[in-house]
Amino acid sequence: MKNKITGLLALQLLFVAATAQTKWSETKKGEFNIVKNPSGQTLGYSPNSGVKILTVNGLAFKDLNKNNKLDKFEDWRLSSEIRAKDLASKLSIKEITGLMLYSSHQSIPARPGGYFAGTYGGKPFKAGETDPSDLTDQQKQFLVEDNLRHVLITTVQTPEIAAKWNNKLQAFCESVGFGIPANNSTDPRHGTRAKAEYDAASGGEISMWPNSLGMAATFDPALTQKFGEIAAKEYRALGITTALSPQVDIATEPRWARFNGTFGESPLLSAAMGQAYCDGFQTTSKSTTGWGDGSVNAMVKHWPGGGSGEAGRDAHYGSGKFAVYPGNNFSAHLIPFIQGAFKLKGKTQMASAVMPYYTISWNQDPKNGENVGNSYNKYLINDLLRTKYKYDGVVCTDWGITGEHKALDQFLDGRSWGVENLSEVDRHFKILMAGVDQFGGNNDAKPILAAYEKGVGEFGEVKMRTRMEQSAVRLLKNIFRVGVFENPYLVPEETKDIVGKPEFMKEGYGAQLKSIVMLKNHGKTLPLDAKKTVFVPKRFTPASRNFLGMETPASTDYPISIDLVKKYFNVTEDPLVADLALVFIQNPAATIGYDKEDLKNGGNGYLPISLQYGDYTATEAREKSIAGGDPLEKSNDRGYKNKSTKTANNSDATLVKETKAAMKGKPVVVSVFTSNPMIFSEIEKDASAILLNFGVQDQAVFEILSGKAEPSALLPMQMPADMKTVEKQAEDVPFDMMPYKDSEGNAYDFGFGLNWKGVIKDSRVLKYKK
């Protein structure tokens, strides 16, 4: 008997030991708790949210809907697809409409006034009194009343404050309804600050990289994937789980204001870069699906390509709402999507979200013949994107497309292109029926609910419920995939260590060096000896106004830090003493191609967009526009032939010429920052050497000038010979301009670049030319 009892006791002890091995553990981390499963997901929850931990077979799960049982959507062992379908089936129509909302721009903290304004307890933000990590009144309202869960973040005061704000946001969401976490997003935020100095031993607020055009100039998709991997780590440390990028429009129209956000004009290069970008952002290593807590959803834009705006005008404005295809080359604009973002090398397979552009893709709807904004067009979304190319990810409109159109030249205008005469409810209904899932920049659920009711009246409740759940599943999958249902919380101290860590800063700076193109090097002017004495002329910056109407006054100052120059060379203010001059300028500053003054003078308001510094008259422009039509216009002709325009910074060309004269035959080295193709004939002959960058720290330019780094980048676009070739090219066709040929006999064509030995000739050019 004693032996039998001893045996039973041994079995009980073994059972207890086995149970102890499978038991989850819980620790407190500031305002939230962390639960670690012995084999499985780590959970994070706020003790104040009402969420409890359920134990099933020794494993921990969050009881998000607080019903004391494990629902499928709470079971992290199941696929994102199963979980999303289960949760979508449980949501009310009002809760589904909340998922379809995408907030307007949220600044952390909110600004006390203006476009990004918000209040805290009814009062504006006041430094020293308001906690910058608190939620605004407006955020609490759209989270509760409108069930919004997709938040667009703009500026953050510090990474630590962003982490604390994220934790408060997620705890708030966790306490409401089904505990659906927020899917925070951002536009690209890894750009450079020109005057910031690089120090290999120090970190920064966030790692700094070239913009997309600069990355394209490296012709190196592997580098772009590396950027995506690093940026994803920094995004997740900030609580960001969706990137509103990459922008893969092929920039076939050289005058387009958004050219610098693209990967240039090559469809194949754009596809390769877009593919690498999405793989870098979306892939969590050691995950069987590729998705996980290291992933960031990539929202690729802009379907079906927005780079062919007529005459270079941009569709943020009513004056630029038409994309045209005089070269019948619509299909080429799809290549970055169908051969790139929708065909990833990694396990996530395709970009998880797509944003159509504002444009009306003129006469590209063979089924219905509609000329409406892309998100309204059922052929472009349902028939082409969804059916032909089998895309079942999230489709989100660009920001503010359901608002009222009131002006042709205002950036913050409602952009309901082609459907201006529909009601707000009918616009939402049309977008839903086209196959779109989400409304960018819309905090208000009421028009979507009204659109649903309209659909119930036309098709019945069952069909409309099915349609709404279809979008809900897509939207929820993207939240489940990145793991925030399990743990959306951040440790601010860890965020501080990750964002802008020295290792990441080093990688970004290295990419900057690889993005600088050397266009000219007469007589091997470069690299420069450290003992050289240089003259840096001051640059005039004309007064300007940004898209929010904020003015910057005119100024004349050094375009770079003279202290930085002194770290590389001797500096003098006397050109006669100098061995050479360093001139820093920017590409010609273009207008939007529309001016009310022309209307007052009896014109149609449309003017040419110029890529040259000098005054320009469009004698070679087409007689009449291809596209036209707007409720605010009397004429459908948007032509501008024989009209003239001026460039605000024409003083840059003058600066080069005057410096050349002052140097009395000694070398003049010109460094150009550009956002678009430009006409080089006005400055090239006065320059001994030319470096071109697309947004780098000034220090990176000096590394090239001094020979500490060798230029290796290539032009990701053509530089036109003159404005005649710009006017004659087709907006939708790449590589169709006559490139500028310089005094050395080199053509500034796609893929051109110099290193210390001369013209770079390698496989990169041939690979991406056509």
Side-chain angles (χ1 to χ4, degrees):
M1 186 71 175
K2 183 177 179 181
N3 289 337
K4 188 175 181 179
I5 293 172
T6 303
L8 287 172
L9 183 59
L11 286 173
Q12 289 176 336
L13 289 172
L14 284 171
F15 176 78
V16 170
T19 304
Q21 288 176 0
T22 59
K23 178 68 175 174
W24 47 266
S25 62
E26 183 169 356
T27 56
K28 185 173 179 60
K29 286 272 189 179
E31 301 299 317
F32 61 94
N33 289 7
I34 291 293
V35 176
K36 290 189 176 181
N37 280 296
S39 58
Q41 296 292 319
T42 296
L43 312 180
Y45 75 101
S46 168
N48 300 319
S49 68
V51 166
K52 304 297 181 185
I53 297 299
L54 301 171
T55 302
V56 178
N57 296 328
L59 298 174
F61 301 86
K62 291 166 70 173
D63 185 15
L64 289 165
N65 61 353
K66 310 168 185 70
N67 66 351
N68 297 315
K69 69 175 184 178
L70 181 64
D71 293 281
K72 287 182 179 179
F73 83 90
E74 296 165 333
D75 190 343
W76 45 259
R77 297 169 298 183
L78 301 176
S79 70
S80 295
E81 180 87 19
I82 292 172
R83 298 176 73 185
K85 286 182 177 179
D86 178 62
L87 181 51
S89 70
K90 291 175 166 61
L91 297 178
S92 67
I93 291 299
K94 187 175 181 181
E95 287 167 326
I96 291 176
T97 60
L99 289 174
M100 291 178 159
L101 301 174
Y102 220 125
S103 84
S104 56
H105 300 73
Q106 305 296 308
S107 178
I108 305 170
R111 295 179 183 177
Y115 186 57
F116 301 124
T119 57
Y120 300 82
K123 298 179 180 179
F125 176 81
K126 187 173 182 180
E129 292 185 10
T130 312
D131 184 341
S133 68
D134 280 350
L135 302 184
T136 66
D137 301 329
Q138 293 74 20
Q139 289 162 357
K140 293 176 183 177
Q141 179 178 338
F142 64 56
L143 290 170
V144 175
E145 295 183 14
D146 295 295
N147 298 287
L148 184 149
R149 288 299 180 273
H150 291 80
V151 182
L152 175 57
I153 298 171
T154 56
T155 57
V156 299
Q157 192 173 99
T158 68
E160 290 172 282
I161 288 172
K164 292 176 182 178
W165 176 87
N166 169 81
N167 291 347
K168 291 178 180 179
L169 172 74
Q170 299 294 7
F172 191 93
C173 291
E174 198 172 74
S175 70
V176 180
F178 287 87
I180 300 172
N183 182 357
N184 298 327
S185 67
T186 180
D187 281 307
R189 59 192 313 120
H190 281 83
T192 61
R193 287 181 290 110
K195 294 188 178 182
E197 287 192 48
Y198 171 69
D199 181 347
S202 68
E205 291 181 3
I206 198 164
S207 62
M208 291 188 281
W209 297 72
N211 64 17
S212 294
L213 199 55
M215 295 300 291
T218 70
F219 279 58
D220 186 358
L223 184 62
T224 298
Q225 182 162 340
K226 183 69 174 179
F227 160 70
E229 293 167 356
I230 289 174
K233 289 181 175 67
E234 293 184 303
Y235 275 17
R236 291 307 301 259
L238 291 166
I240 294 167
T241 47
T242 293
L244 302 187
S245 53
Q247 185 185 336
V248 299
D249 315 76
I250 55 171
T252 49
E253 169 46 60
R255 295 164 288 189
W256 188 31
R258 300 196 69 178
F259 197 108
N260 67 326
T262 74
F263 292 115
E265 66 180 298
S266 165
L268 296 180
L269 180 58
S270 297
M273 290 292 187
Q275 181 186 65
Y277 190 107
C278 294
D279 271 329
F281 267 93
Q282 292 191 167
T283 303
T284 293
S285 61
K286 299 180 181 179
S287 165
T288 55
T289 63
W291 292 103
D293 58 10
S295 299
V296 173
N297 292 290
M299 184 179 289
V300 63
K301 55 190 185 184
H302 303 88
W303 179 264
S308 63
E310 184 162 16
R313 296 186 293 268
D314 179 59
H316 277 87
Y317 301 91
S319 56
K321 64 183 178 180
F322 299 109
V324 295
Y325 303 88
N328 297 315
N329 202 36
F330 176 80
S331 60
H333 290 255
L334 305 183
I335 290 174
F337 297 93
I338 62 178
Q339 294 184 29
F342 298 168
K343 196 176 182 179
L344 303 183
K345 294 179 180 179
K347 294 177 183 178
T348 64
Q349 299 182 348
M350 63 174 60
S352 64
V354 175
M355 182 187 294
Y357 202 40
Y358 297 114
T359 45
I360 294 172
S361 297
W362 188 254
N363 290 343
Q364 298 305 311
D365 180 357
K367 186 174 182 179
N368 307 303
E370 279 197 306
N371 279 314
V372 294
N374 295 322
S375 289
Y376 291 97
N377 194 300
K378 190 172 184 179
Y379 169 77
L380 293 178
I381 304 301
N382 183 70
D383 298 359
L384 200 61
L385 178 61
R386 296 272 191 217
T387 305
K388 182 174 180 178
Y389 295 115
K390 297 178 173 53
Y391 184 78
D392 195 39
V394 168
V395 177
C396 176
T397 75
D398 214 328
W399 261 235
I401 73 165
T402 57
E404 294 298 321
H405 171 42
K406 299 177 181 179
L408 287 157
D409 60 347
Q410 295 300 310
F411 184 87
L412 298 180
D413 188 33
R415 305 178 184 103
S416 50
W417 309 147
V419 294
E420 294 91 346
N421 294 325
L422 293 182
S423 69
E424 184 181 29
V425 172
D426 285 345
R427 290 174 195 151
H428 282 77
F429 180 70
K430 187 172 179 64
I431 289 169
L432 281 175
M433 293 300 99
V436 174
D437 304 300
Q438 201 165 27
F439 299 83
N442 185 356
N443 295 8
D444 185 3
K446 290 190 288 292
I448 307 177
L449 287 167
Y452 166 78
E453 293 298 337
K454 177 182 173 70
V456 170
E458 289 193 24
F459 305 116
E461 187 173 354
V462 173
K463 182 173 181 178
M464 282 307 295
R465 171 77 199 192
T466 300
R467 170 66 193 89
M468 299 292 276
E469 278 195 35
Q470 183 183 45
S471 286
V473 170
R474 292 171 182 147
L475 291 159
L476 287 168
K477 276 170 64 177
N478 284 0
I479 308 178
F480 279 114
R481 283 167 164 169
V482 295
V484 286
F485 267 92
E486 277 59 69
N487 182 21
Y489 297 98
L490 304 170
V491 179
E493 294 77 17
E494 293 178 2
T495 293
K496 182 181 179 181
D497 290 340
I498 293 170
V499 179
K501 66 190 296 186
E503 174 190 340
F504 297 166
M505 299 297 288
K506 182 179 180 180
E507 292 282 357
Y509 187 68
Q512 292 178 49
L513 294 174
K514 293 178 180 179
S515 74
I516 298 172
V517 183
M518 184 162 69
L519 293 176
K520 184 177 181 180
N521 194 19
H522 176 69
K524 295 190 180 295
T525 301
L526 301 178
L528 302 176
D529 188 285
K531 298 178 181 179
K532 294 288 186 182
T533 298
V534 302
F535 165 65
V536 180
K538 291 183 178 180
R539 176 177 178 262
F540 172 71
T541 303
S544 62
R545 179 180 297 168
N546 69 9
F547 69 94
L548 295 176
M550 299 170 65
E551 295 186 356
T552 300
S555 64
T556 300
D557 202 351
Y558 288 112
I560 53 167
S561 166
I562 290 297
D563 288 337
L564 175 63
V565 184
K566 290 177 179 178
K567 291 182 178 181
Y568 289 85
F569 309 108
N570 299 315
V571 178
T572 179
E573 294 184 2
D574 185 353
L576 297 178
V577 175
D579 296 310
L580 71 149
L582 301 178
V583 183
F584 293 82
I585 61 173
Q586 296 184 8
N587 64 300
T591 65
I592 67 169
Y594 185 88
D595 194 331
K596 288 179 181 177
E597 288 300 315
D598 184 67
L599 277 175
K600 293 178 182 178
N601 294 327
N604 61 359
Y606 291 88
L607 298 176
I609 296 175
S610 176
L611 300 180
Q612 68 182 38
Y613 292 105
D615 295 352
Y616 170 61
T617 300
T619 57
E620 302 294 331
R622 58 175 62 106
E623 291 288 340
K624 292 186 177 181
S625 65
I626 294 172
D630 189 279
L632 302 181
E633 292 182 316
K634 296 178 180 179
S635 171
N636 289 344
D637 181 18
R638 296 182 163 200
Y640 54 86
K641 186 172 183 179
N642 294 321
K643 291 184 180 180
S644 300
T645 189
K646 294 179 180 294
T647 301
N649 64 326
N650 61 345
S651 56
D652 276 357
T654 303
L655 180 64
V656 175
K657 189 174 291 296
E658 290 178 347
T659 303
K660 172 71 172 178
M663 291 303 294
K664 307 293 184 182
K666 290 178 288 188
V668 174
V669 177
V670 178
S671 176
V672 185
F673 162 72
T674 192
S675 58
N676 286 76
M678 57 180 283
I679 310 298
F680 271 93
S681 59
E682 297 164 296
I683 63 169
E684 179 269 321
K685 291 181 176 62
D686 293 322
S688 304
I690 300 175
L691 294 179
L692 187 73
N693 78 82
F694 308 96
V696 298
Q697 293 166 258
D698 291 335
Q699 188 172 351
V701 175
F702 280 93
E703 295 285 291
I704 300 289
L705 290 171
S706 63
K708 292 183 178 180
E710 183 172 9
S712 61
L714 307 171
L715 286 175
M717 73 284 211
Q718 293 182 308
M719 292 296 177
D722 49 39
M723 282 303 297
K724 178 180 178 180
T725 192
V726 173
E727 297 288 4
K728 295 302 181 183
Q729 57 91 35
E731 284 94 335
D732 58 324
V733 177
F735 316 127
D736 63 341
M737 294 188 295
M738 180 183 296
Y740 176 72
K741 182 175 284 188
D742 70 10
S743 56
E744 305 287 295
N746 292 318
Y748 294 178
D749 205 348
F750 175 85
F752 171 74
L754 301 172
N755 58 22
W756 302 143
K757 295 178 182 178
V759 177
I760 299 172
K761 296 179 180 179
D762 57 35
S763 60
R764 292 179 294 172
V765 181
L766 296 176
K767 187 174 183 179
Y768 298 117
K769 177 71 178 187
K770 299 299 181 185

